[in-house]
Structure formats: structure tokens, C-alpha cells
Amino acid sequence: MIDQFQRPLHDLRISVTDRCNFRCVYCMPKEVFGKDFAFMERDELLSFEEMTRLARISVAHGVEKIRLTGGEPLLRKGIEELVAMLAELRTPAGRPIDIAMTTNGSVLALKAQALKDAGLKRVTVSLDSLDDATFRAMNDVKFPVSKVLNSLDVAHSAGLGPIKINMVLKRGQNDQDIVAMARHFKGTPYILRFIEFMDVGSSNGWEMADVVPSGEVVARINAELPLEEVAPNYNGETSRRWRYRDGEGEIGVISSVTQSFCHSCSRARVSTDGKLFTCLFATEGHDLRALMRGGSTDEQLAAVMTQIWRERTDRYSELRSAETGRLRASAKKRIEMSYIGG
Ligand code: SAM
Ligand code: SF4
Ligand code: SF4
């Protein structure tokens, strides 16, 4: 399956819940996602069977990698059952699927072994600071760093590696911790990745002034811990790799704002309620749940999904940089990351 810019469909991200126990300031700010916020009802969510059905069809059409995300995926009850169902899928060439998960790590220590046993290959854990006060302020529910660090160790021991760590940078909030994070994870089995704060959704009050460009991140680390660039692991890798010159591992930078990678974007996303989105910045998705619950056959679903991908022309980040001349979030109402899946 190839889209209008010759990009194949390779990755599927499934948002398994729109709920989260954190209120990260750049994702689900408390002022918007407060006590009165209407999260989805249970019957609105795709069931595990429905998710697996969409995954099976996608795998038959080229998907080789599935990432479970959210919201916080580990809040979805029985998530390991879904992992086990997905682990049975095979590509047309007979290979198993690469199944990964992005999690905030808050309950990962409790779930790591069950997830591994069910067939999960790897986890990516989000961690925005090692400084307890900074981290508590960023997750905005006073969650301590020590519990996430413990989860990392448990997940590593359970074999859920190589574990990547995502640090979203917001200027003035946690950029003072860049070198400390690099130093802490240098020489460990964990691969730290620095992510530019993106203008995804409409509620996080994004401004270009809040973005710490990856170029600056690399320069700040390089000044203290010398780095050299490494070739990507595969074509279309979103993260640019840099390794320490002394051989003690590598870091990654994900420059979604300053160096868009739309040209190689091979991801589709399924929201918690079963809408198919072909871009993180899309304003509308295609309702696959309605088709499934309305009695569509696998062939009919496959035809719809194939047609959507073939017509795909998304390249939001490229256009944002090119069109505005200077970077700023467009005024259009967009879908929240917690719903569409990061
Ligand atoms: N709750 C899980 C977690 O935090 O890992 C999974 C979902 S979260 C939406 C997925 C990833 O998106 C996390 O690494 C998070 O830090 C990142 N993210 C959320 N909002 C973002 C934003 N505005 N810009 C860049 N990354 C963001
Ligand atoms: Fe929750 Fe993840 Fe969003 Fe933070 S980034 S609020 S942990 S979904
Ligand atoms: Fe892919 Fe859209 Fe992000 Fe571009 S802006 S990399 S098309 S998700």
C-alpha cells in the first residue's frame, strides 16, 4: 500500500484508552482535562477483538509494527490479553509483528512480566526529568521520579528492551535537565530520546518559544559529553541518532518541529473509538468502528482502509514550516494526542 507521496503503510499505532493518571502540561493540562472532562464511555471504546481485527487487516496490507499507546495504555484493563491476541498475527511472509508500547511507567513495574509473557517486545517509557520537583510539576499529579526509575529496571529485567526513554522538552520547564539526563543514562542499556514539544491538539497552549530545537540539545550535550552522528537504523526512522565518542552508548533527537520527517512517515493511527487517522495533525478520522459494528466484512474494511491510505497526502509538519515562514501553530481545531495516540 503506497500513498500519494510513495510512502508505504508500515506502522500502526493504536490508542487503547483516552484516560490517563498524569496531567502532563504539554499533553493533558489540568485546566482542560479536569474533573468535569467527559472521557469516553466503555461501549464507545473499541473492544480487543475489534482492535485485533483492524490490526489483522493492516498486517495483511503491509503493517509490521504495532505500538499500543493512549492516554496511558496500562490503565486499560486486561491490556496483556490484547498483547497476546496481537502476538498471534503474522505478516504475509509469516513473520511475527513487532509489538511495542509507549507508557508513562507509573504502573509498569506491576505489569512488565505479564506483558512480556503475553508477547510484548519493547517499551518506550516517558520521563521528562530526574529532578523530582520538576518531574512532579510536569506530570502535574505529583508523581515521583523514583517509581518510574524502578519501573525501568523491572521492565529491563523482564526483557522488554531495548528500552527507549522519551523526554519532551519545554523551555523553561525542564531544559535545564538535558545534560543531567544524558549523563544519567549514558553507559546504561536505556536509549534516551529528546523530543521537541509539538503543537499537537488544541489545549496545550503551544508556542514556538517553548520549543527547544534538537540542534540546541545536541550542542548542549556535546559541549560536555562529546557526540558524533550515526546513520539511521532504517529508512524512515524518526529519531536522529548521536553516539558518545567514548563508546558509551547513544541518544536520539526527534525534531518534529524544526526538521519534519513527513517525507518518510509510514504511520497510521487508530483512535480509542476506532477512527483511522493518517496524520497526527489530522482534524478528522474515518469511522471504522461504525463499519465494523454495522456488519462490514473484512474485505469491505480492507477496501476502505486501502483507499484511505492510497489517497493520503498528509505532510502537516512540512507545510507548517514552509507555509508560515516562521513556525506557529495553525488556528484550526485539532485532535488531542491522548485520544489519537502519540
Ligand atoms: N501515556 C503514555 C506516555 O506518556 O508515554 C503514552 C501516550 S503519550 C501521548 C505518547 C508520547 O507522546 C509520550 O512520550 C509523550 O511525552 C509524547 N507527547 C505528548 N504530548 C506531546 C507534545 N505536545 N509534543 C511532543 N510529544 C508529546
Ligand atoms: Fe498522560 Fe502520556 Fe499525555 Fe502524559 S503524555 S498526560 S502520561 S498520555
Ligand atoms: Fe506524519 Fe503527519 Fe507527522 Fe508529517 S505531520 S510526520 S505526515 S504524522
Side-chain angles (χ1 to χ4, degrees):
M1 280 226 289
I2 301 290
D3 74 6
Q4 292 291 307
F5 296 129
Q6 308 304 312
R7 298 169 296 189
L9 171 62
H10 185 259
D11 296 7
L12 185 67
R13 299 199 161 198
I14 305 177
S15 175
V16 298
T17 175
D18 59 338
R19 292 169 198 249
C20 188
N21 53 343
F22 283 14
R23 287 292 176 272
C24 301
V25 291
Y26 51 76
C27 180
M28 296 178 78
K30 257 185 188 159
E31 312 81 70
V32 179
F33 295 88
K35 287 205 169 56
D36 299 332
F37 187 83
F39 289 101
M40 279 172 205
E41 299 294 336
R42 191 162 172 71
D43 62 348
E44 292 180 80
L45 312 183
L46 288 192
S47 66
F48 291 163
E49 287 72 23
E50 288 170 327
M51 288 179 195
T52 307
R53 187 175 174 203
L54 294 180
R56 185 184 308 111
I57 293 170
S58 305
V59 167
H61 289 84
V63 163
E64 296 190 351
K65 197 168 144 188
I66 295 180
R67 180 171 293 276
L68 302 179
T69 175
E72 173 46 42
L74 293 180
L75 294 189
R76 179 85 186 241
K77 217 171 144 211
I79 186 73
E80 51 275 30
E81 290 162 33
L82 173 64
V83 171
M85 288 159 81
L86 296 174
E88 291 191 359
L89 300 178
R90 293 291 176 270
T91 67
R95 286 193 303 273
I97 309 303
D98 182 14
I99 309 172
M101 178 183 284
T102 307
T103 168
N104 62 24
S106 57
V107 294
L108 180 61
L110 299 172
K111 295 264 189 176
Q113 194 58 54
L115 291 166
K116 175 69 184 174
D117 295 345
L120 190 71
K121 295 271 188 300
R122 295 174 293 117
V123 286
T124 297
V125 178
S126 303
L127 177 63
D128 296 328
S129 179
L130 288 170
D131 176 70
D132 209 45
T134 307
F135 184 59
R136 285 172 189 251
M138 270 187 103
N139 63 53
D140 214 8
V141 293
K142 299 191 172 69
F143 199 87
V145 174
S146 55
K147 279 200 168 183
V148 180
L149 292 177
N150 178 48
S151 278
L152 280 174
D153 290 341
V154 175
H156 175 67
S157 305
L160 286 171
I163 297 180
K164 291 177 185 153
I165 298 172
N166 279 356
M167 177 182 187
V168 175
L169 288 168
K170 192 168 176 207
R171 195 177 295 282
Q173 191 118 35
N174 64 340
D175 58 317
Q176 70 282 5
D177 299 334
I178 292 172
V179 177
M181 280 283 278
R183 212 180 280 284
H184 182 88
F185 289 107
K186 182 170 179 276
T188 70
Y190 309 117
I191 302 170
L192 177 59
R193 304 181 323 161
F194 298 90
I195 302 182
E196 289 178 350
F197 175 34
M198 283 188 283
D199 51 331
V200 63
S202 310
S203 58
N204 64 14
W206 184 90
E207 284 183 26
M208 186 58 204
D210 296 332
V211 178
V212 183
S214 295
E216 180 183 327
V217 174
V218 171
R220 280 162 78 166
I221 298 172
N222 185 48
E224 298 194 34
L225 308 166
L227 291 167
E228 59 193 0
E229 194 163 9
V230 197
N233 281 319
Y234 53 88
N235 191 19
E237 192 173 34
T238 49
S239 166
R240 286 206 170 182
R241 302 168 60 206
W242 292 80
R243 77 176 153 230
Y244 294 108
R245 285 184 187 266
D246 64 7
E248 288 214 316
E250 66 179 74
I251 59 156
V253 288
I254 303 184
S255 323
S256 341
V257 177
T258 60
Q259 271 190 322
S260 57
F261 34 79
C262 300
H263 58 278
S264 58
C265 179
S266 54
R267 294 175 180 171
R269 294 177 157 85
V270 175
S271 64
T272 314
D273 57 351
K275 294 208 173 78
L276 180 67
F277 289 88
T278 55
C279 178
L280 189 52
F281 296 92
T283 47
E284 269 171 59
H286 198 99
D287 194 350
L288 298 178
R289 188 189 67 188
L291 294 178
M292 287 192 282
R293 295 188 185 173
S296 292
T297 62
D298 279 3
E299 290 70 29
Q300 287 165 331
L301 278 168
V304 169
M305 291 164 76
T306 309
Q307 192 192 349
I308 291 169
W309 191 265
R310 289 203 176 124
E311 289 173 359
R312 176 180 188 247
T313 56
D314 302 289
R315 50 190 190 108
Y316 172 84
S317 288
E318 267 176 25
L319 295 176
R320 172 189 46 205
S321 317
E323 263 177 19
T324 58
R326 61 191 192 90
L327 295 163
R328 67 184 168 83
S330 91
K332 251 189 183 171
K333 174 125 180 90
R334 284 194 301 266
I335 304 299
E336 297 300 328
M337 191 126 161
S338 47
Y339 159 76
I340 195 177

